[in-house]
Amino acid sequence: MQFTIVGAGSIGCLWAASLAKVHSVHLWTRDTQLHREFTFTPLDRKTITVAPTQLKLPSNQALRLQQSDCVLITVKAFQVAQAIEAIQPWLAPSTPIVIMHNGMGSQAVALQKLPHNPILYATTSQAAFKPQPDHVQHTGIGQTWLGAINPAAQHLHNLADEFNNVLAPCQWHQDIQQPLWQKLAINCAINPLTALHQCKNGELTQQKYQTALMNICQEVAEIMCAEGYLTTAETLKEQADQVIQATANNFSSMNQDVCHHRQTEIDYITGHIVRCGQHYNIRTPFNAQLWQQIKTMEQKAS
Ligand code: KPL
């Protein structure tokens, strides 16, 4: 198959390197380079880091985009509209588009801008890190879920198999909103607190963070129930605690964004909860406060 991957961040490069093992992969980036080289350090199944490989992939070539069998968009949630506009002139209306990012709230714009294409969303717990701009390291194995958000994409189960063949585990989900909410809840718990306190994920096990974590989970659980995804604050807190432990040594993506003075995904993580709260008339004071605090940090940094 021919894949175009939009966005060459750590997750984009992880999927590019993985798909390139068996497919033809082309990258679409914000620059105009016709090729992109990077070093990829895979992670062995037994968690032994194996030798790095050097990749040179074609990039920003309109014909390759036009001929793609699938386009995977891995930019941040706030860049989705811009990324779609950039590729739209060359996109065939039948090409499936897979959108993979942290947070929720970009689906309406994707559906509106691409009324004909099959559109799928994906959420991944695979972890990757860029120690240097042209070096990508696969740092953790986790589940990827893939599913359709419009009728045109509902038959595309085989894409989950293709993804699973190159970077397992990946499974098709009949209702992709469910794993998207699940991942959103974890990001709501971990990302703003680790950004605000500039700490590693593992530091959130400390007693002083337990009330804040529980308050966040309480509000997220109420919103999820209103959306029809029944859960409890305790269940979400337990799930967040498991991820905190499994990624104890990592800095969350929001921590890194704040640290490097980049725009964060707060509007699509905590901000999504606050917007849903307004919609359902459910109070979300803890998330609203965290949203405000991160926005203030972003503004000071810009
Ligand atoms: O997805 C993540 C992120 O950093 O954005 C978590 C799950 C919090 C892992 O760090």
Side-chain angles (χ1 to χ4, degrees):
M1 284 177 71
Q2 302 205 28
F3 282 87
T4 287
I5 299 185
V6 182
S10 42
I11 288 293
C13 288
L14 170 65
W15 282 98
S18 306
L19 287 163
K21 289 186 284 188
V22 275
H23 300 289
S24 145
V25 175
H26 161 241
L27 290 175
W28 193 268
T29 60
R30 274 179 296 188
D31 55 49
T32 51
Q33 285 175 51
L34 294 178
H35 287 95
R36 193 166 190 114
E37 284 185 67
F38 65 93
T39 306
F40 175 64
T41 308
L43 183 76
D44 191 85
R45 285 253 152 213
K46 296 167 210 92
T47 69
I48 301 161
T49 307
V50 291
T53 51
Q54 199 63 32
L55 280 109
K56 185 176 180 184
L57 298 176
S59 59
N60 307 309
Q61 300 180 20
L63 190 64
R64 286 185 191 263
L65 172 57
Q66 212 165 24
Q67 292 172 342
S68 294
D69 300 304
C70 176
V71 173
L72 170 59
I73 299 183
T74 63
V75 300
K76 301 232 179 199
F78 56 82
Q79 296 165 329
V80 166
Q82 212 183 336
I84 293 175
E85 281 162 18
I87 60 171
Q88 217 160 13
W90 297 281
L91 213 51
S94 58
T95 308
I97 312 292
V98 179
I99 301 177
M100 184 187 282
H101 60 66
N102 266 345
M104 287 177 86
S106 73
Q107 295 183 13
V109 83
L111 289 168
Q112 179 246 316
K113 285 193 181 291
L114 299 167
H116 305 294
N117 294 75
I119 303 184
L120 305 97
Y121 266 72
T123 174
T124 190
S125 298
Q126 296 282 356
F129 173 66
K130 273 190 170 181
Q132 280 129 31
D134 54 359
H135 184 185
V136 181
Q137 234 173 315
H138 186 194
T139 51
I141 292 168
Q143 175 73 44
T144 301
W145 292 105
L146 183 70
I149 67 152
N150 65 358
Q154 256 147 26
H155 64 288
L156 292 171
H157 296 222
N158 68 307
L159 273 179
D161 300 333
E162 297 299 344
F163 282 21
N164 189 54
N165 287 342
V166 298
L167 190 56
C170 175
Q171 274 172 274
W172 180 262
H173 205 293
Q174 263 319 109
D175 178 13
I176 189 63
Q177 309 298 343
Q178 199 256 324
L180 289 175
W181 272 107
Q182 212 60 51
K183 180 77 192 307
L184 184 83
I186 287 164
N187 286 133
C188 282
I190 302 176
N191 294 29
L193 289 177
T194 50
L196 210 55
H197 300 283
Q198 280 300 296
C199 64
K200 285 187 172 179
N201 294 355
E203 288 176 54
L204 296 184
T205 54
Q206 291 173 25
Q207 192 52 42
K208 61 178 177 187
Y209 295 119
Q210 300 318 299
T211 312
L213 283 169
M214 199 56 180
N215 288 337
I216 297 168
C217 290
Q218 181 64 49
E219 292 178 1
V220 175
E222 281 177 47
I223 300 291
M224 284 179 67
C225 290
E227 282 276 317
Y229 298 103
L230 298 188
T231 187
T232 62
E234 290 70 24
T235 309
L236 294 184
K237 169 81 165 60
E238 255 171 52
Q239 288 165 349
D241 284 343
Q242 278 168 18
V243 177
I244 288 168
Q245 268 155 29
T247 61
N249 254 324
N250 295 6
F251 286 105
S252 77
S253 53
M254 196 173 290
N255 168 297
Q256 289 299 283
D257 288 338
V258 165
C259 184
H260 294 105
H261 307 296
R262 294 188 296 244
Q263 184 177 348
T264 73
E265 295 172 299
I266 195 74
D267 289 343
Y268 292 82
I269 296 177
T270 310
H272 191 66
I273 296 299
V274 177
R275 278 190 303 276
C276 288
Q278 286 160 353
H279 174 77
Y280 289 115
N281 215 4
I282 295 174
R283 292 187 69 249
T284 58
F286 291 104
N287 282 284
Q289 192 188 2
L290 283 170
W291 187 19
Q292 201 49 62
Q293 283 170 310
I294 301 290
K295 293 306 278 182
T296 306
M297 280 180 116
E298 269 184 353
Q299 273 150 19
K300 276 192 190 147
S302 65

